[in-house]
Amino acid sequence: MDICNSQWEGEIKGQGSSVMIRNRPTIAVTDYVVNQDIQYQDIVDEKVELVIDKAKSFSFKIDDIDATQSNIPVMNELTQDAAYQMKIAIDTHVLGSVYADATNSISTLTMDKTNVIDWIIDAEVKMEEQNLPSSERWIIIPPKAAGFIQKSDLKNASLSGDAKSIIRSNMMNGRLGEIGGITVYVSNNLAKSGTTYQCLAGHKSAVTFAAQIVKVENLRLQTKFGDAIRGLNVYGFKTVLPSGLVSMPAVIA
């Protein structure tokens, strides 16, 4: 949700549901001529259907004996891990798909600490050329690329736009900082082939994402003494503004 918008309306009841994406119309600007009538633009309520056609689930069980012998609240721990693994699975699906929709691209770069900053600025230039809003711009890079940034000449907070130097930032929370006008996110979930990563930059308006956890059930096992938990998360996503994405393949050894 840091890189996708939620500009949709409707109700998600389960897999196969549909919601409607609200497209913001572009307002025309015309010359004003004295003593001539003003012509008003008709605003058309443009909506695009988003089908919630994807789903991820989890299910696990634990015997009463194992639960009794454990010193930690096993079911709570496992449920939290299930939610974390669900996030990874969905991130991997989205990031592995939408980069192919980008209409802007930067040639494949063999990355090191000397060129990583210029590479990110090149993405900002691409977005500027598309007249994308200056806020809510982002880029997603793998941890190795984040390491190159931290080893680069980007030594102080004034260059990264944050109160804290990017050298001291913690990539574990997923957000490294800002470079130029772009928020830098770090993820292990980018598409990858060998040492080539399908890095991606863009604006939050480019992709709409909708999701709903429709079921989380606690069950008592019928054939054993134990408990089970299962959950179902349904979701859908659509690139609504391909010009708001920049494909940035990078070779990172």
Side-chain angles (χ1 to χ4, degrees):
M1 294 311 299
D2 289 321
I3 66 165
C4 297
N5 70 77
S6 56
Q7 299 299 312
W8 55 271
E9 56 190 26
E11 183 180 0
I12 300 175
K13 296 181 179 180
Q15 189 174 10
S17 297
S18 294
V19 297
M20 302 305 295
I21 301 172
R22 302 186 299 272
N23 279 344
R24 184 181 65 186
T26 299
I27 302 301
V29 176
T30 59
D31 294 330
Y32 174 73
V33 181
V34 178
N35 298 326
Q36 286 191 7
D37 292 341
I38 296 175
Q39 301 298 315
Y40 291 92
Q41 177 182 349
D42 292 327
I43 300 300
V44 179
D45 187 15
E46 297 181 357
K47 294 182 180 180
V48 177
E49 183 181 33
L50 172 58
V51 180
I52 309 302
D53 56 352
K54 303 166 182 65
K56 301 288 186 185
S57 67
F58 67 85
S59 57
F60 61 87
K61 63 183 179 180
I62 184 166
D63 293 336
D64 287 346
I65 294 176
D66 293 333
T68 301
Q69 293 177 345
S70 175
N71 292 324
I72 60 175
V74 178
M75 296 300 278
N76 288 340
E77 292 283 342
L78 294 175
T79 302
Q80 291 175 10
D81 184 67
Y84 181 68
Q85 299 302 329
M86 180 80 72
K87 175 183 180 298
I88 291 174
I90 293 176
D91 279 359
T92 301
H93 188 185
V94 175
L95 296 178
S97 302
V98 298
Y99 77 88
D101 298 331
T103 57
N104 306 291
S105 63
I106 294 175
S107 299
T108 302
L109 174 77
T110 300
M111 186 185 296
D112 58 40
K113 69 177 183 179
T114 66
N115 58 22
V116 62
I117 303 303
D118 288 348
W119 177 71
I120 293 174
I121 299 303
D122 288 344
E124 184 177 21
V125 171
K126 290 285 186 181
M127 286 187 271
E128 196 66 31
E129 290 174 342
Q130 296 297 325
N131 292 318
L132 296 172
S134 57
S135 62
E136 299 185 319
R137 295 178 181 181
W138 49 263
I139 184 171
I140 305 175
I141 60 176
K144 285 185 178 180
F148 285 143
I149 291 174
Q150 292 179 312
K151 295 174 184 177
S152 72
D153 292 334
L154 199 65
K155 299 295 186 184
N156 58 56
S158 63
L159 290 176
S160 63
D162 284 350
K164 182 171 67 173
S165 169
I166 206 163
I167 304 301
R168 293 165 49 218
S169 297
N170 181 4
M171 69 176 73
M172 294 300 293
N173 63 13
R175 184 184 185 278
L176 189 63
E178 290 188 9
I179 296 176
I182 301 178
T183 302
V184 181
Y185 293 100
V186 183
S187 175
N188 275 315
N189 304 324
L190 292 165
K192 177 186 176 185
S193 177
T195 58
T196 301
Y197 292 81
Q198 296 294 340
C199 303
L200 186 67
H203 187 267
K204 197 168 185 176
S205 61
V207 180
T208 300
F209 177 83
Q212 181 71 47
I213 299 175
V214 293
K215 290 184 183 295
V216 176
E217 298 176 340
N218 293 274
L219 307 170
R220 189 64 183 168
L221 296 176
Q222 297 298 311
T223 58
K224 292 184 177 181
F225 293 103
D227 295 302
I229 292 182
R230 63 188 182 189
L232 176 64
N233 191 348
V234 298
Y235 65 99
F237 57 91
K238 183 185 286 288
T239 300
V240 294
L241 187 66
S243 61
L245 296 175
V246 184
S247 175
M248 307 174 63
V251 177
I252 308 174

